[in-house]
Amino acid sequence: MLSTFTDVEVEYLCHGVPLADYQPTKADHRRQQEAVRTHEWVQRQVAKAPPWTEERRERMRELLGPPIPPWELQRWRLRLYCGHIVEAARIRKSPRPDGGVCDKEACPECCLDPSVIVAFEPLGPLADPPPKKRSQKPSRPSRKPPADRRSKAELAAENEALRAELQALRDQM
């Protein structure tokens, strides 16, 4: 059963009651077994892969961009397959802690990795956004060049074409 909580931007979903007593269902057992098999397969594939160079690591950091600021994260209470209850932070734009994709978490208490999420509820934002800074000067709108303005390269190409046409006319005389 899913219920919802509305934030300013997102309608967060709830599944079950993480703090209530819970007995894993057959579906939970099946999802956990599948998660373990998938995790083991990924570990085998990673072990076969060549090690990354520092350049490749740096390129990956560039592609991923800066870390997500805390005010863009939502806190969640999760009940894991192993029975432990943990808090986790996820991006606020997602209505579920699993993002609809990865419904497992490593348990910090018993170290079961992965442990499927069997119940979850939103707790609120991880942090408040920073206050907006007031600029001392009013910002001017950016000036855009007129639509009929051409680039230097376009003008140079047109100039060269006109010179060639002029030379062709002179040669005909």
Side-chain angles (χ1 to χ4, degrees):
M1 177 183 117
L2 291 174
S3 56
T4 60
F5 288 89
T6 304
D7 189 356
V8 176
E9 304 160 2
V10 179
E11 197 168 310
Y12 295 109
L13 300 174
C14 285
H15 175 70
V17 181
L19 295 177
D21 287 338
Y22 183 80
Q23 292 298 316
T25 64
K26 287 182 181 180
D28 293 333
H29 290 300
R30 224 177 4 262
R31 287 177 39 233
Q32 178 65 26
Q33 290 170 349
E34 182 180 326
V36 168
R37 281 194 304 272
T38 302
H39 182 76
E40 289 170 350
W41 181 85
V42 168
Q43 293 301 315
R44 286 192 304 272
Q45 300 311 308
V46 169
K48 293 177 191 176
W52 279 20
T53 64
E54 190 54 40
E55 292 167 2
R56 195 169 184 190
R57 290 179 197 276
E58 186 57 37
R59 177 70 179 133
M60 185 56 72
R61 282 188 208 100
E62 289 173 16
L63 289 172
L64 292 174
I68 298 170
W71 58 87
E72 291 184 14
L73 297 174
Q74 172 74 11
R75 287 177 34 242
W76 292 88
R77 180 176 293 131
L78 311 174
R79 176 178 285 277
L80 303 177
Y81 175 81
C82 59
H84 293 116
I85 298 169
V86 298
E87 272 191 29
R90 300 288 194 271
I91 188 134
R92 289 186 72 180
K93 294 176 185 173
S94 177
R96 303 172 54 105
D98 57 12
V101 178
C102 183
D103 65 345
K104 45 196 159 295
E105 181 85 10
C107 181
E109 293 185 40
C110 69
C111 299
L112 181 61
D113 184 16
S115 186
V116 172
I117 300 169
V118 294
F120 57 84
E121 64 185 355
L123 297 176
L126 186 64
D128 292 327
K132 297 198 182 227
K133 295 180 182 178
R134 291 186 175 199
S135 61
Q136 295 172 354
K137 291 183 183 178
S139 62
R140 294 189 301 179
S142 62
R143 299 171 93 191
K144 292 184 179 178
D148 62 343
R149 186 171 264 183
R150 294 179 287 174
S151 72
K152 190 174 181 179
E154 291 171 321
L155 291 172
E158 183 181 3
N159 190 6
E160 190 62 38
L162 289 172
R163 286 180 191 272
E165 186 179 339
L166 180 61
Q167 186 61 41
L169 289 172
R170 284 184 182 154
D171 293 340
Q172 286 178 354
M173 294 182 168

